[in-house]
Coordinates of all heavy atoms in Angstrom, one line a residue:
D1 N 74.6 -16.7 -15.0 CA 75.6 -16.8 -14.0 C 75.0 -16.8 -12.6 O 74.7 -15.8 -12.0 CB 76.5 -15.5 -14.1 CG 77.7 -15.6 -13.2 OD1 77.7 -16.4 -12.2 OD2 78.7 -14.8 -13.4
P2 N 74.6 -18.0 -12.1 CA 73.9 -18.1 -10.9 C 74.6 -17.6 -9.7 O 73.9 -17.1 -8.8 CB 73.6 -19.7 -10.8 CG 74.7 -20.3 -11.6 CD 74.9 -19.4 -12.7
E3 N 75.9 -17.7 -9.6 CA 76.6 -17.1 -8.5 C 76.5 -15.6 -8.4 O 76.2 -15.1 -7.4 CB 78.1 -17.6 -8.5 CG 78.4 -19.0 -8.2 CD 79.9 -19.3 -8.2 OE1 80.5 -19.3 -9.3 OE2 80.4 -19.5 -7.1
A4 N 76.7 -15.0 -9.5 CA 76.6 -13.5 -9.6 C 75.2 -13.1 -9.3 O 74.9 -12.1 -8.6 CB 77.1 -13.0 -10.9
L5 N 74.2 -13.8 -9.9 CA 72.8 -13.5 -9.7 C 72.5 -13.6 -8.2 O 71.8 -12.7 -7.6 CB 71.9 -14.5 -10.4 CG 71.7 -14.3 -11.9 CD1 71.1 -15.5 -12.5 CD2 70.7 -13.1 -12.1
A6 N 73.0 -14.6 -7.5 CA 72.7 -14.7 -6.0 C 73.3 -13.6 -5.2 O 72.7 -13.0 -4.3 CB 73.2 -16.1 -5.5
V7 N 74.6 -13.2 -5.6 CA 75.3 -12.2 -4.9 C 74.5 -10.8 -5.0 O 74.3 -10.1 -4.1 CB 76.7 -12.0 -5.4 CG1 77.4 -10.7 -4.9 CG2 77.6 -13.2 -4.9
A8 N 74.1 -10.5 -6.3 CA 73.4 -9.3 -6.5 C 72.1 -9.3 -5.9 O 71.6 -8.3 -5.3 CB 73.4 -9.0 -8.0
A9 N 71.3 -10.3 -6.1 CA 69.9 -10.4 -5.6 C 69.8 -10.2 -4.1 O 68.8 -9.7 -3.6 CB 69.3 -11.7 -6.0
A10 N 70.8 -10.6 -3.4 CA 70.8 -10.4 -1.9 C 70.7 -9.0 -1.5 O 70.3 -8.7 -0.4 CB 72.1 -11.1 -1.3
A11 N 71.1 -8.1 -2.4 CA 71.1 -6.6 -2.1 C 69.9 -5.9 -2.7 O 69.8 -4.7 -2.5 CB 72.4 -6.0 -2.6
D12 N 69.0 -6.6 -3.3 CA 67.9 -6.0 -4.0 C 66.9 -5.3 -3.0 O 66.7 -5.9 -1.9 CB 67.1 -7.0 -4.8 CG 66.0 -6.4 -5.7 OD1 66.4 -5.5 -6.4 OD2 64.9 -6.9 -5.6
D13 N 66.4 -4.2 -3.3 CA 65.5 -3.4 -2.4 C 64.1 -3.5 -3.0 O 63.9 -3.0 -4.1 CB 65.9 -2.0 -2.3 CG 65.0 -1.2 -1.4 OD1 65.0 -1.5 -0.1 OD2 64.2 -0.4 -1.9
P14 N 63.1 -4.2 -2.4 CA 61.8 -4.4 -3.0 C 61.1 -3.1 -3.3 O 60.4 -3.0 -4.4 CB 61.1 -5.2 -1.9 CG 62.1 -5.9 -1.2 CD 63.3 -4.9 -1.1
A15 N 61.2 -2.1 -2.5 CA 60.5 -0.8 -2.7 C 61.1 -0.1 -4.0 O 60.4 0.4 -4.8 CB 60.6 0.1 -1.5
S16 N 62.4 -0.1 -4.1 CA 63.1 0.5 -5.3 C 62.6 -0.3 -6.5 O 62.3 0.3 -7.6 CB 64.6 0.4 -5.2 OG 65.1 1.5 -4.3
R17 N 62.6 -1.6 -6.4 CA 62.3 -2.4 -7.6 C 60.8 -2.2 -8.0 O 60.5 -2.0 -9.2 CB 62.5 -3.9 -7.3 CG 62.2 -4.8 -8.5 CD 62.7 -6.2 -8.4 NE 64.1 -6.3 -8.4 CZ 64.8 -6.4 -9.6 NH1 64.2 -6.4 -10.7 NH2 66.1 -6.5 -9.5
A18 N 59.9 -2.1 -7.1 CA 58.5 -1.9 -7.4 C 58.3 -0.5 -8.1 O 57.7 -0.4 -9.1 CB 57.6 -2.0 -6.2
A19 N 58.9 0.5 -7.5 CA 58.8 1.9 -8.0 C 59.4 2.0 -9.4 O 58.8 2.5 -10.4 CB 59.4 2.9 -7.1
A20 N 60.6 1.5 -9.6 CA 61.3 1.5 -10.8 C 60.6 0.7 -11.9 O 60.6 1.0 -13.1 CB 62.8 1.1 -10.7
S21 N 60.1 -0.4 -11.5 CA 59.4 -1.3 -12.5 C 58.2 -0.6 -13.1 O 57.9 -0.7 -14.3 CB 58.9 -2.6 -11.8 OG 60.1 -3.4 -11.4
A22 N 57.4 0.1 -12.2 CA 56.3 0.9 -12.7 C 56.7 2.0 -13.7 O 56.1 2.2 -14.8 CB 55.5 1.5 -11.6
E23 N 57.8 2.7 -13.3 CA 58.3 3.8 -14.2 C 58.8 3.2 -15.5 O 58.5 3.8 -16.6 CB 59.4 4.5 -13.4 CG 58.9 5.2 -12.2 CD 60.1 5.6 -11.2 OE1 61.2 5.6 -11.7 OE2 59.8 5.9 -10.1
R24 N 59.6 2.1 -15.5 CA 60.1 1.6 -16.7 C 59.1 0.9 -17.6 O 59.2 1.0 -18.8 CB 61.2 0.6 -16.3 CG 62.5 1.3 -15.8 CD 63.5 0.3 -15.1 NE 64.0 -0.8 -16.0 CZ 65.0 -0.6 -16.9 NH1 65.5 0.6 -17.0 NH2 65.4 -1.7 -17.6
A25 N 58.0 0.4 -17.0 CA 57.0 -0.2 -17.8 C 56.2 0.9 -18.5 O 55.8 0.8 -19.7 CB 56.0 -1.0 -16.9
F26 N 56.1 2.1 -17.8 CA 55.4 3.2 -18.5 C 56.3 3.7 -19.7 O 55.7 3.9 -20.8 CB 55.4 4.4 -17.4 CG 55.1 5.7 -18.0 CD1 53.8 6.0 -18.4 CD2 56.0 6.7 -18.1 CE1 53.5 7.3 -18.9 CE2 55.8 8.0 -18.6 CZ 54.5 8.3 -19.0
E27 N 57.5 3.8 -19.5 CA 58.4 4.3 -20.6 C 58.5 3.3 -21.7 O 58.4 3.6 -22.9 CB 59.8 4.5 -20.1 CG 60.8 5.0 -21.1 CD 62.2 5.2 -20.6 OE1 62.8 4.3 -20.0 OE2 62.7 6.4 -20.6
R28 N 58.5 2.0 -21.3 CA 58.6 0.9 -22.4 C 57.3 0.9 -23.2 O 57.4 0.8 -24.5 CB 58.8 -0.4 -21.6 CG 59.1 -1.6 -22.5 CD 59.7 -2.7 -21.7 NE 58.9 -3.1 -20.6 CZ 59.2 -3.0 -19.3 NH1 60.4 -2.5 -18.9 NH2 58.4 -3.4 -18.3
R29 N 56.2 1.1 -22.6 CA 55.0 1.1 -23.4 C 54.9 2.3 -24.3 O 54.4 2.2 -25.5 CB 53.8 1.1 -22.4 CG 52.4 1.3 -23.1 CD 52.1 0.1 -24.0 NE 50.8 0.3 -24.7 CZ 50.6 1.0 -25.9 NH1 51.7 1.5 -26.5 NH2 49.4 1.1 -26.4
L30 N 55.5 3.4 -23.9 CA 55.5 4.6 -24.8 C 56.5 4.5 -25.9 O 56.4 5.2 -26.9 CB 55.8 5.9 -23.9 CG 54.6 6.4 -23.0 CD1 55.1 7.6 -22.2 CD2 53.4 6.8 -23.9
G31 N 57.6 3.7 -25.6 CA 58.7 3.6 -26.6 C 59.6 4.8 -26.6 O 60.2 5.1 -27.6
G32 N 59.6 5.6 -25.5 CA 60.4 6.8 -25.5 C 61.8 6.6 -25.2 O 62.2 5.6 -24.5
G33 N 62.7 7.5 -25.6 CA 64.1 7.5 -25.4 C 64.5 8.8 -24.9 O 63.8 9.7 -24.4
C34 N 65.9 9.1 -25.0 CA 66.4 10.4 -24.5 C 65.9 11.6 -25.2 O 66.1 12.7 -24.7 CB 67.9 10.3 -24.4 SG 68.6 10.5 -26.0
S35 N 65.4 11.5 -26.4 CA 65.0 12.6 -27.2 C 63.6 13.0 -26.9 O 63.1 14.0 -27.4 CB 65.2 12.4 -28.7 OG 64.3 11.3 -29.1
A36 N 62.9 12.3 -26.1 CA 61.5 12.5 -25.7 C 61.5 13.1 -24.3 O 62.3 12.7 -23.4 CB 60.7 11.3 -25.8
A37 N 60.5 14.0 -24.0 CA 60.3 14.5 -22.7 C 59.3 13.7 -21.9 O 58.1 13.8 -22.0 CB 59.7 16.0 -22.8
I38 N 59.9 12.6 -21.3 CA 59.1 11.7 -20.5 C 59.6 11.7 -19.1 O 60.8 11.7 -18.8 CB 59.3 10.2 -21.1 CG1 58.6 10.2 -22.5 CG2 58.7 9.2 -20.2 CD1 58.9 8.8 -23.2
A39 N 58.7 11.7 -18.2 CA 59.0 11.6 -16.7 C 58.1 10.7 -16.0 O 56.9 10.5 -16.4 CB 58.9 13.0 -16.1
A40 N 58.6 10.0 -15.0 CA 57.7 9.1 -14.2 C 58.4 8.9 -12.8 O 59.6 8.8 -12.7 CB 57.5 7.8 -14.9
Y41 N 57.6 9.0 -11.8 CA 58.0 8.8 -10.5 C 57.0 8.1 -9.6 O 55.9 8.5 -9.5 CB 58.3 10.2 -9.9 CG 58.7 10.2 -8.4 CD1 59.7 9.3 -8.0 CD2 58.1 11.0 -7.5 CE1 60.1 9.3 -6.6 CE2 58.5 11.0 -6.2 CZ 59.5 10.2 -5.7 OH 59.9 10.2 -4.4

């Protein structure tokens, strides 16, 4: 949906995306879910 993509992307915050991307990549590599005690900041 290119129109919705454009509308949303206009509000993207690069700092939030970089921080969250690192955190989510950490969790993804571990394969953890809500039953695991995983934290990242």
Side-chain angles (χ1 to χ4, degrees):
D1 186 344
E3 286 184 290
L5 278 165
V7 165
D12 189 53
D13 181 71
S16 283
R17 180 168 290 275
S21 294
E23 295 162 17
R24 284 165 63 81
F26 167 74
E27 182 182 58
R28 192 162 53 245
R29 173 66 182 86
L30 287 175
C34 74
S35 63
I38 292 175
Y41 176 48

